[in-house]
Amino acid sequence: MTVKPTILIVEDEAKMRRLLELNLGEDGFATVSAADAETGLKLLQNAPVDLVLTDVKLPGMDGMEFLQTVKRLNAALPVVVMTAFGSVEMAVDAIKAGASNYMLKPFSLDEMRLVVRKELDVRRLRDENRSLREALHQRFEHPNIVARSAKMQEVLATVERVAPTNSSVLLGGESGVGKDMIARALHEKSRRASGPFVKINSTAIPENLLESELFGYEKGAFTGAVGSKRGKFELADNGTLFLDEIGDVPLPMQVKLLRVLQEREFERLGGTRTLKVDVRLIAATNRDLRAALEEGTFREDLYYRLNVVPIDIPPLRDHKEDIPELVTLFLARSAADSGQEFEGLTPEAMKLLMAHHWPGNVRELQNIVERATALAKGPVIDVIDIHLDPPRGRPPGSSTAALPEGMTLEQWEDEMIREALRRAQGNKSQAARILGLSRNALRYRLSKIGIEDEPEKDSSG
Ligand SMILES: Nc1ncnc2c1ncn2[C@@H]1O[C@H](COP(=O)(O)OP(=O)(O)OP(=O)(O)O)[C@@H](O)[C@H]1O
Ligand SMILES: [Mg+2]
């Protein structure tokens, strides 16, 4: 505390008042003093007081009444009462009425110092506690992002913290949880907000075009390159580049990405000029990249470059308390689109939404609300307007029989891999496709089972 704490002294005996003023002043406190309670109250309203030291026996309004009035005005203000020796009951009454401490007259100046210090410390700690608690309860808000739940608040708190930095961020989370949305929020809250936000989705682009999309090309770099073109890295200069589905970037491209991340420079395809860019990178994946590291389908060095700050967005089933507000948001959007007003959902309809498992997360909720508004006959959405996607896989309630009797997950996985190979007649690329695995991931699993990676059988013959 750099500002001197101020103590209000209320004491009718002039000598005593003066003594207290002098000693507290010497101890580094600021003092204001009054000879009666009425003046004391006036002073209290005009000066920021940190502690009140008051006599109980006062002319006019007595000390007890004064204490009660002070507490009514400011319950957090510590009040120390001074009572004559032999009137301990009075002291007890004062404590009951809210005094934080008492001193029996005559007291030593040391004792007085001790009591005053202690009460000020208690108050300071209480204030610190409160501001800490307030900081913890600080609500983070972002337009169009619903984040009432603690889980989403945590996400927004991290966004707030890392947005102004240039650190790379790796967004994780299932499909539809809001990775795109958070990537944009990071950009909008950064100093690059006035710069471009450029997105590239590696799964949406054929592998052979990904490089030219990222780095651009010069005229004649390949057949069909009739002019030169800037890549996403160049387009994102002074802004943010969002690499969506980073887990699907093929290994050779990963090497090239790593170089740009390390050196912040690159050449266009077929070009010789080295280009430098100032780009903040945000990557997203709905796959477990750590598993991909183990399988050797994702480079470790690239992973650590990208994963400077990880933000994992929880699936909707883990923050269902956000559903009502999300529904309100999506209803308002539908209303804006269709010009039709919606009041909300019936309690039964809301119950239905709260009980759903939401495999498609917020995107699924958004679709279902949209569909409901199209079907609703009036301003209130009811159960019949809500068409949830049937649960995938096993029906609910049969959750215990996940694996065939007596089989471990690993054995079952091996069995699935063998089955896929059988169906693909030994063609590993095809087997990988059947399993939804990359060629590398399959190779890794085959080596675990002990199937040699012999040259591929030709499936065309
Ligand atoms: N907390 C939220 N508040 C408001 N809207 C949200 C929230 N979370 C997600 N959405 C909305 O849900 C939709 C899906 O989100 P988004 O596209 O960001 O998901 P994603 O994680 O990128 O999905 P994918 O992995 O399929 O790319 C978007 O329309 C987004 O605005
Ligand atoms: Mg996305």
Side-chain angles (χ1 to χ4, degrees):
M1 219 184 284
T2 49
V3 189
K4 285 184 186 178
T6 303
I7 297 172
L8 167 66
I9 302 163
V10 184
E11 168 64 67
D12 58 329
E13 254 178 81
K15 251 172 77 186
M16 182 66 178
R17 200 169 58 235
R18 193 76 203 113
L19 187 71
L20 291 170
E21 278 171 10
L22 277 174
N23 277 279
L24 289 169
E26 268 175 29
D27 278 5
F29 298 110
T31 57
V32 282
S33 39
D36 55 73
E38 289 81 359
T39 316
L41 283 177
K42 267 193 211 117
L43 287 173
L44 204 56
Q45 267 143 30
N46 295 327
V49 168
D50 298 290
L51 181 140
V52 177
L53 192 56
T54 180
D55 196 5
V56 172
K57 262 178 60 198
L58 291 169
M61 181 194 281
D62 79 351
M64 285 301 282
E65 204 184 330
F66 174 60
L67 164 68
Q68 282 155 357
T69 314
V70 170
K71 284 278 141 184
R72 252 201 315 279
L73 289 173
N74 180 356
L77 186 61
V79 179
V80 175
V81 295
M82 305 177 278
T83 68
F85 183 71
S87 59
V88 181
E89 292 82 23
M90 188 86 97
V92 172
D93 285 348
I95 296 283
K96 279 188 192 152
S100 32
N101 216 328
Y102 65 89
M103 294 189 290
L104 296 179
K105 284 180 180 176
F107 46 81
S108 73
L109 289 170
D110 278 345
E111 189 187 339
M112 189 252 326
R113 279 192 200 105
L114 220 68
V115 170
V116 166
R117 284 251 161 75
K118 177 176 161 242
E119 292 315 319
L120 283 172
D121 275 351
V122 169
R123 177 183 168 145
R124 185 174 46 79
L125 285 174
R126 204 177 292 145
D127 284 353
E128 278 176 11
N129 249 329
R130 179 157 34 84
S131 56
L132 277 176
R133 231 175 312 129
E134 275 167 9
L136 277 178
H137 287 167
Q138 189 186 346
R139 308 283 312 166
F140 293 102
E141 312 235 345
H142 197 88
N144 297 322
I145 298 186
V146 172
R148 187 175 285 271
S149 63
K151 287 220 158 86
M152 283 306 292
Q153 276 293 311
E154 226 174 275
V155 169
L156 285 196
T158 315
V159 166
E160 207 78 19
R161 212 159 10 92
V162 301
T165 72
N166 272 332
S167 304
S168 299
V169 176
L170 181 61
L171 297 170
E174 294 175 13
S175 186
V177 291
K179 296 185 293 295
D180 269 63
M181 177 189 76
I182 293 297
R184 267 171 216 281
L186 279 165
H187 175 71
E188 281 160 23
K189 294 226 158 192
S190 75
R191 275 170 305 208
R192 302 168 171 270
S194 58
F197 177 85
V198 178
K199 175 180 160 172
I200 181 163
N201 184 332
S202 49
T203 45
I205 296 167
E207 197 173 325
N208 57 339
L209 289 185
L210 190 56
E211 186 173 6
S212 63
E213 275 295 310
L214 278 170
F215 305 117
Y217 54 82
E218 297 290 0
K219 186 177 171 177
F222 46 84
T223 17
V226 285
S228 62
K229 196 187 158 194
R230 281 195 287 204
K232 301 284 188 190
F233 267 101
E234 263 178 89
L235 294 172
D237 197 16
N238 294 316
T240 307
L241 180 60
F242 177 38
L243 297 171
D244 206 1
E245 313 286 3
I246 190 78
D248 294 324
V249 172
L251 277 167
M253 269 317 294
Q254 292 179 23
V255 181
K256 288 178 181 147
L257 264 179
L258 184 67
R259 182 192 155 210
V260 193
L261 292 191
Q262 275 166 344
E263 290 154 28
R264 302 271 155 193
E265 57 181 44
F266 59 92
E267 291 87 33
R268 286 184 189 161
L269 249 75
T272 47
R273 201 155 46 100
T274 298
L275 303 166
K276 271 198 172 300
V277 285
D278 175 18
V279 166
R280 199 264 182 91
L281 227 94
I282 301 176
T285 177
N286 53 24
R287 303 204 328 208
D288 182 4
L289 275 193
R290 255 176 302 253
L293 290 186
E294 274 174 36
E295 289 168 3
T297 54
F298 203 82
R299 290 182 64 100
E300 208 164 0
D301 42 12
L302 180 59
Y303 174 76
Y304 288 113
R305 275 276 158 189
L306 294 171
N307 194 30
V308 177
V309 181
I311 300 183
D312 286 311
I313 308 173
L316 182 56
R317 63 184 156 280
D318 287 351
H319 61 108
K320 282 187 175 175
E321 60 269 46
D322 283 328
I323 289 177
E325 209 174 309
L326 282 165
V327 169
T328 308
L329 175 73
F330 298 147
L331 281 180
R333 273 193 205 151
S334 286
D337 286 349
S338 65
Q340 196 188 340
E341 288 294 324
F342 298 99
E343 280 168 26
L345 270 61
T346 61
E348 292 74 28
M350 184 56 81
K351 233 193 203 152
L352 205 62
L353 296 187
M354 295 303 278
H356 188 57
H357 191 62
W358 301 112
N361 295 298
V362 183
R363 182 178 298 115
E364 184 185 0
L365 176 63
Q366 191 175 352
N367 291 341
I368 278 159
V369 171
E370 232 167 68
R371 218 184 295 166
T373 58
L375 293 170
K377 300 233 160 46
V380 178
I381 311 252
D382 206 347
V383 176
I384 53 157
D385 306 319
I386 292 185
H387 294 259
L388 295 171
D389 296 328
R392 286 180 219 156
R394 287 166 288 105
S398 65
S399 57
T400 44
L403 282 170
E405 276 287 54
M407 223 182 212
T408 67
L409 181 60
E410 225 162 315
Q411 288 166 336
W412 191 63
E413 195 183 283
D414 293 354
E415 195 46 52
M416 296 314 288
I417 289 170
R418 284 179 214 278
E419 173 61 29
L421 270 175
R422 266 195 295 277
R423 269 200 267 165
Q425 291 163 352
N427 182 307
K428 295 202 188 78
S429 303
Q430 206 182 323
R433 263 196 303 279
I434 292 173
L435 292 162
L437 291 173
S438 71
R439 192 66 186 75
N440 272 323
L442 179 64
R443 188 178 299 145
Y444 169 79
R445 285 190 160 87
L446 287 177
S447 69
K448 267 205 330 194
I449 312 176
I451 297 181
E452 288 306 325
D453 193 27
E454 75 276 285
E456 193 119 83
K457 283 186 198 156
D458 194 352
S459 63
S460 62

